[in-house]
Amino acid sequence: MKRSSGARLCSMAAVGALSLALVTGCSSDSGEGSKKKDATDSKGSASAPASDAKALTSAELEKLLLAKGDVKGYRFDSGVDTLPTSKSAVKTDKAACDPLAWATAGLAPGDTGANASNSVTEDKTSAATASPDEADIEDAFDVNLTFVGLSSYDGDGAVKAVKAVSDGVAACASGYGLKADGEDSKVTKVVSEKGTGGGDEAVAFAEDVDMDGEGTATFHTEVIRKGNTVATFYTVNFAAFGSGGDMDPVPAAVVTAQLGKLG
C-alpha cells in the first residue's frame, strides 16, 4: 500500500523521542477505517485499599515499572522523552475528560503527585536495519508502542481515580478537544470496552481521534487499580497509524507483567 510522507514520518518516529502530541497529531492519506470492539467495562473484584493506605513515592514507583527482561520480545525506554511530564501540558475542553487524557499520557488519572511512566515497544529494531529498502523499513515498524503509567494514592484515592476515569468515559462519549504540548487534537467518540482486566478493578475504553479530516483512528487505553496503585496503558501501532483505522489493543503480556510487579 502506498503511504504518505506523514505516515512514513510516523513510522520512523518509533525509534526516536515521541511526545503524545506528535502521536495524536500525525495524519495519513488513507480514508476512514475505524472499527469498534464490543463496548463492555472490564472490572475486577473492586476491593478497596485500607483507609489508612499510604501512597508510594515516585521513586518507589519507578522501581516497579517494567524493565529489561520482564517481558520477552519488548524493549523499555524512559518516559522522560516520550511523554508529558506535567498535567499542565495536557488540557481538554471538558473537565470530566481530563482523567482520560491523563491516562493516555502516562500521567496520574487522579489527585496525587506520585507518578512514574515509561514506554514499552515490540523489539523489531534488528529487522528495521536489515534492509535499506523503505518499504521493508516501514513494515519493520509495524510495532506496538505502549505508554505505561503508575500512580499511587493515600487512602481511597486510587478508587476515586478509577471512578473518575469510568465517569469520564460516560461523560465524554461524544468526544472532547485535546491540547497536548501546544498541539490540538479532537477526540470524536469514547466508548467503554473489554480490556485485559486484572487487579482489583479495571476500566478499558477506546477513543476515536480525528486525523486532520482524513478519517479517524481508534486508540485503546486500560486503567487498572491494584491496591492503592493505578496502572495505565495506552497503545499506538505505527503501521495502523499510517493506514488509519483501529490501533491494536494494549498487549495482554505487558499488562499482566506490569500487574505482577505491583505485588
Side-chain angles (χ1 to χ4, degrees):
M1 174 183 293
K2 182 179 179 181
R3 298 182 186 178
S4 68
S5 58
R8 290 195 295 272
L9 287 172
C10 286
S11 297
M12 296 305 294
V15 296
L18 183 66
S19 69
L20 178 68
L22 178 58
V23 170
T24 56
C26 293
S27 62
S28 105
D29 286 339
S30 299
E32 299 183 39
S34 177
K35 60 183 179 180
K36 303 296 176 289
K37 299 187 181 297
D38 292 336
T40 56
D41 279 352
S42 174
K43 295 186 181 293
S45 62
S47 59
S51 60
D52 60 351
K54 296 298 182 183
L56 297 174
T57 65
S58 294
E60 290 172 324
L61 290 173
E62 286 279 357
K63 295 178 181 179
L64 293 175
L65 285 167
L66 291 172
K68 184 177 180 180
D70 287 337
V71 190
K72 185 178 180 181
Y74 289 83
R75 59 182 176 83
F76 307 87
D77 299 291
S78 167
V80 173
D81 293 329
T82 57
L83 290 167
T85 58
S86 170
K87 289 181 177 179
S88 63
V90 181
K91 301 179 183 297
T92 75
D93 59 3
K94 297 179 183 178
C97 307
D98 286 347
L100 307 185
W102 294 333
T104 63
L107 296 167
D111 186 14
T112 182
N115 188 77
S117 61
N118 68 353
S119 61
V120 183
T121 313
E122 288 180 293
D123 191 0
K124 294 187 179 181
T125 305
S126 59
T129 57
S131 170
D133 183 82
E134 183 178 289
D136 290 339
I137 291 175
E138 290 184 357
D139 288 341
F141 284 116
D142 180 8
V143 296
N144 287 319
L145 169 65
T146 300
F147 298 131
V148 180
L150 297 180
S151 55
S152 191
Y153 305 78
D154 291 330
D156 63 353
V159 173
K160 291 179 178 178
V162 175
K163 184 178 187 303
V165 174
S166 181
D167 290 347
V169 172
C172 305
S174 61
Y176 60 93
L178 171 67
K179 181 185 288 291
D181 291 333
E183 295 291 333
D184 292 318
S185 297
K186 176 63 178 177
V187 176
T188 61
K189 185 178 182 179
V190 181
V191 296
S192 62
E193 62 179 1
K194 183 176 177 61
T196 305
D200 295 315
E201 57 180 330
V203 176
F205 59 94
E207 297 178 297
D208 283 1
V209 178
D210 178 69
M211 305 298 281
D212 292 338
E214 298 290 339
T216 60
T218 303
F219 298 85
H220 304 278
T221 303
E222 296 192 33
V223 178
I224 303 174
R225 178 179 68 81
K226 194 164 186 179
N228 64 330
T229 297
V230 175
T232 64
F233 307 87
Y234 171 78
T235 294
V236 176
N237 180 284
F238 286 89
F241 208 115
S243 60
D246 200 353
M247 299 294 114
D248 287 345
V250 177
V254 172
V255 174
T256 301
Q258 181 61 81
L259 293 181
K261 294 195 72 171
L262 298 182

